[in-house]
Amino acid sequence: MPADRQFAFGAFRFDPRTGQLSCDSHQAKLTPRAAAVLAVLAERAQELVTKRELFEQVWRGIAVSDDALTSCILELRQALGDNARRPHYIETLHRRGYRLVVPANAIGDAPSMAPSLAPTSRLPDKPSVAVMPFESLCTHPNRHYLAEGIVKAITAALSRSRCYFVIARDSAAARKSHAEDLRNIRGEFGVAYRLEGSVQTADSRIRVILQLIETEGGAHVWSAQHDGRLDDIFDLQDRVAEKVAGALQSSIRTAEVERSRRRQPRHLGAYDYAMRAMPHVWALREEESGKAIELLDNALAIDPEYPLALSLAGWCHAQRSVYNWTDDVAASQALAGALADRVIEQSNDDPLILAVLGTVDTFVRNHGRARALLERAITLDPNAAWAWSRLGWIETYSDRPERAREHFQRAIRLSPLDPMNFNSHIGIGSAYEVAQDYDNAVAHYRWVVEARPQTAWNSRNMASALAGAGRMEEARQAYMLMLRSYPSLTGARLKQAMVFSPPTLDRMVGHLRTLGLPD
């Protein structure tokens, strides 16, 4: 492409050298990578440009995941005011590439100064991490390969998940001989976090130490230590990769929320509003859910088809139905289902979004599709702890309590510090209640009462299980606590909201009737 050419297409004029995109009074400054992608599309306007061609021409040998290109396309659509479902400018050709659907005319007058692509990569609109080469502290010269093998296993595990933008191992390894500081890593790779570690051996033992560091400021986000034996090295690699992938999901998600909170309001995008909403969504409390909906409305005002915001909003409205926060359960279920349908039409393969959609479908009693979505999430990312937890709920509602407990326990093991783990404990309690093992159910419900006393909807389960166990004095106390949050609750409303099987609901309502619950 000649250096002095600009492009005019539709209502826009675009200068590839400066990244300036203008339309009447509106101007946008594109990041260098996004500008380079648009330049290729404009040069071949109305033709299919494959993903491979874009990677070759824009990244020029630097190994990056598909998410790098997806992030650029999202930035371009936001700047153009375009819609992925009804494109006026950039069309996605599924699994093939992209096409600028309008003609583009080449014109002159481009300035002579061009921005450098390498040092100014923008952070993508999702958690982004570079897995750096681990330091080998092995004294034995033939054991340095161990660190490289563990890095490969961790990178492979993280790369399975579309929840992350992961720099491929070869790109990170290219910096192995350079003492780059955190800001250089942030600028060159366009990532918010870097995972680093060390490997050391003594006789037949091996120790792996890991830490996750935020590239802006150098804050330590997470650290862990794993010990094993050299005669079981492949099993150790798999276990370390599984635990790292599971733990990083909740740790990075929490760090992303804090990063979004530090940004000035005028700089907030749809992703930032969704990140700010997340802790309110997963609190599973009525007032918090209302705050989340407000933030998600802001995200959808910026990008009406943003899948993460749509799915989280659907979950919030589904919460209103299943936790008896509304008198019109059917209306909340219908709205939640409609929001989920809009995301599913986009064929999204992000395990987090699939897990949220599976939750929504569970709450609106579309259990067949919910199971398919959750199993798809786990196929894409076997370490998606929350997808395992939600699949545990599907098994609970399907009266398969033993399998449900296995899924809940796996979720907790994958991500032991996840703020949503209290929900898995309620799930284990519910699985015991389905199995009519009421004392064990009470033990898990009580753990949640002590750990998360604000979780008022758990009181419905607690009172029912205590009555089922014949512990009537405790049951009456739990029932009185339930009435503080649900003074107008009836058996009919409970059955309409909760999505257990009919036999389980009949038993639960029967137990609560012995405590005074009206029909």
Side-chain angles (χ1 to χ4, degrees):
M1 182 180 67
D4 59 347
R5 284 208 295 190
Q6 298 183 11
F7 290 96
F9 56 89
F12 288 90
R13 183 182 177 112
F14 170 55
D15 185 340
R17 300 289 303 252
T18 65
Q20 197 75 23
L21 182 68
S22 56
C23 172
D24 297 330
S25 60
H26 170 74
Q27 289 190 347
K29 175 75 170 178
L30 300 177
T31 57
R33 300 288 186 195
V37 169
L38 184 55
V40 175
L41 295 176
E43 182 72 18
R44 293 175 52 186
Q46 299 183 293
E47 296 179 19
L48 165 67
V49 182
T50 67
K51 291 183 178 180
R52 181 176 180 178
E53 290 172 318
L54 287 168
F55 281 124
E56 288 175 350
Q57 294 186 52
V58 175
W59 279 270
R60 299 177 183 177
I62 297 177
V64 295
S65 70
D66 283 1
D67 290 333
L69 177 55
T70 301
S71 179
C72 289
I73 295 296
L74 177 60
E75 179 185 344
L76 292 176
R77 283 183 172 139
Q78 290 176 342
L80 294 166
D82 206 7
N83 187 311
R85 295 172 62 195
R86 296 179 294 278
H88 294 292
Y89 291 102
I90 297 177
E91 178 185 22
T92 300
L93 300 169
H94 189 54
R95 298 187 184 279
R96 298 171 64 196
Y98 300 93
R99 181 170 70 101
L100 185 67
V101 298
V102 296
N105 298 316
I107 54 179
D109 302 324
S112 60
M113 296 302 294
S116 170
L117 290 178
T120 55
S121 296
R122 177 183 170 180
L123 299 183
D125 279 346
K126 62 170 59 184
S128 50
V129 59
V131 183
M132 306 306 295
F134 284 12
E135 184 179 6
S136 176
L137 303 178
C138 306
T139 56
H140 196 292
N142 293 329
R143 289 182 176 176
H144 294 301
Y145 72 92
L146 295 171
E148 185 173 353
I150 290 172
V151 169
K152 285 182 179 179
I154 291 173
T155 304
L158 293 178
S159 297
R160 286 178 181 172
S161 173
R162 288 181 177 265
C163 296
Y164 302 112
F165 169 81
V166 182
I167 287 293
R169 178 190 150 273
D170 290 343
S171 293
R175 313 308 306 167
K176 186 173 183 179
S177 61
H178 298 272
E180 298 288 335
D181 63 27
L182 290 172
R183 290 194 178 276
N184 285 346
I185 294 295
R186 176 187 175 89
E188 180 169 357
F189 292 156
V191 293
Y193 308 94
R194 78 177 207 173
L195 180 70
E196 58 184 35
S198 63
V199 176
Q200 62 185 117
T201 61
D203 298 325
S204 61
R205 293 174 296 157
I206 180 171
R207 170 168 293 174
V208 182
I209 298 175
L210 310 104
Q211 55 183 350
L212 184 72
I213 301 173
E214 190 174 5
T215 57
E216 181 180 8
H220 283 63
V221 176
W222 170 86
S223 63
Q225 174 180 307
H226 300 280
D227 295 316
R229 297 185 60 82
L230 288 173
D231 57 7
D232 202 14
I233 184 61
F234 295 118
D235 180 65
L236 177 68
Q237 286 180 357
D238 291 342
R239 284 189 289 110
V240 169
E242 177 185 87
K243 289 181 179 180
V244 169
L248 257 59
Q249 289 193 18
S250 62
S251 298
I252 289 182
R253 193 162 60 232
T254 301
E256 286 287 282
V257 170
E258 293 305 315
R259 282 206 316 124
S260 71
R261 286 173 173 167
R262 294 197 298 266
R263 298 194 69 178
Q264 295 295 321
R266 66 180 181 275
H267 294 149
L268 294 179
Y271 174 79
D272 298 297
Y273 279 116
M275 286 296 101
R276 287 189 173 197
M278 266 196 174
H280 301 293
V281 176
W282 71 50
L284 305 186
R285 300 200 303 273
E286 183 175 6
E287 67 281 5
E288 294 295 313
S289 183
K291 294 175 183 176
I293 289 174
E294 291 180 9
L295 290 165
L296 294 168
D297 284 344
N298 290 335
L300 293 171
I302 296 171
D303 184 353
E305 301 302 323
Y306 185 34
L308 180 59
L310 284 171
S311 58
L312 290 173
W315 183 16
C316 287
H317 288 288
Q319 288 177 16
R320 291 179 58 77
S321 68
V322 80
Y323 299 139
N324 287 114
W325 294 340
T326 177
D327 293 331
D328 196 342
V329 169
S332 290
Q333 289 176 335
L335 179 54
L339 290 165
D341 288 343
R342 286 171 61 185
V343 182
I344 288 172
E345 289 175 2
Q346 301 182 39
S347 301
N348 197 285
D349 270 350
D350 185 320
L352 172 61
I353 292 174
L354 291 171
V356 175
L357 293 174
T359 306
V360 175
D361 273 351
T362 301
F363 288 171
V364 302
R365 292 190 170 87
N366 190 354
H367 288 185
R369 191 171 77 174
R371 182 183 293 277
L373 291 167
L374 293 168
E375 289 177 348
R376 173 67 175 160
I378 289 169
T379 298
L380 290 166
D381 181 7
N383 303 306
W386 198 57
W388 281 108
S389 177
R390 295 316 311 181
L391 197 57
W393 278 106
I394 288 286
E395 301 295 2
T396 300
Y397 296 141
S398 302
D399 289 342
R400 289 190 279 265
E402 290 186 8
R403 185 158 186 165
R405 290 199 303 273
E406 291 175 2
H407 292 338
F408 289 128
Q409 289 161 354
R410 180 166 186 168
I412 293 171
R413 184 176 69 250
L414 279 171
S415 187
L417 300 179
D418 197 309
M420 284 295 292
N421 277 347
F422 77 94
N423 191 254
S424 291
H425 281 283
I426 294 179
I428 294 172
S430 295
Y432 277 119
E433 186 164 7
V434 166
Q436 302 180 58
D437 183 347
Y438 296 114
D439 286 319
N440 270 321
V442 167
H444 284 275
Y445 294 150
R446 197 176 298 284
W447 183 93
V448 175
V449 169
E450 294 172 356
R452 296 289 292 263
Q454 312 96 323
T455 311
W457 51 272
N458 183 47
S459 62
R460 302 172 303 172
N461 307 63
M462 175 68 89
S464 168
L466 284 166
R471 296 157 61 173
M472 299 310 293
E473 183 58 35
E474 294 175 85
R476 281 187 282 271
Q477 294 176 10
Y479 181 74
M480 295 306 295
L481 286 174
M482 184 192 81
L483 290 180
R484 293 182 187 177
S485 300
Y486 299 102
S488 59
L489 188 63
T490 64
R493 287 184 175 180
L494 191 72
K495 285 186 174 182
Q496 185 185 18
M498 300 181 83
V499 293
F500 291 94
S501 69
T504 298
L505 280 173
D506 286 341
R507 287 195 300 270
M508 294 178 72
V509 171
H511 295 151
L512 292 173
R513 280 190 185 126
T514 66
L515 302 172
L517 182 73
D519 292 336

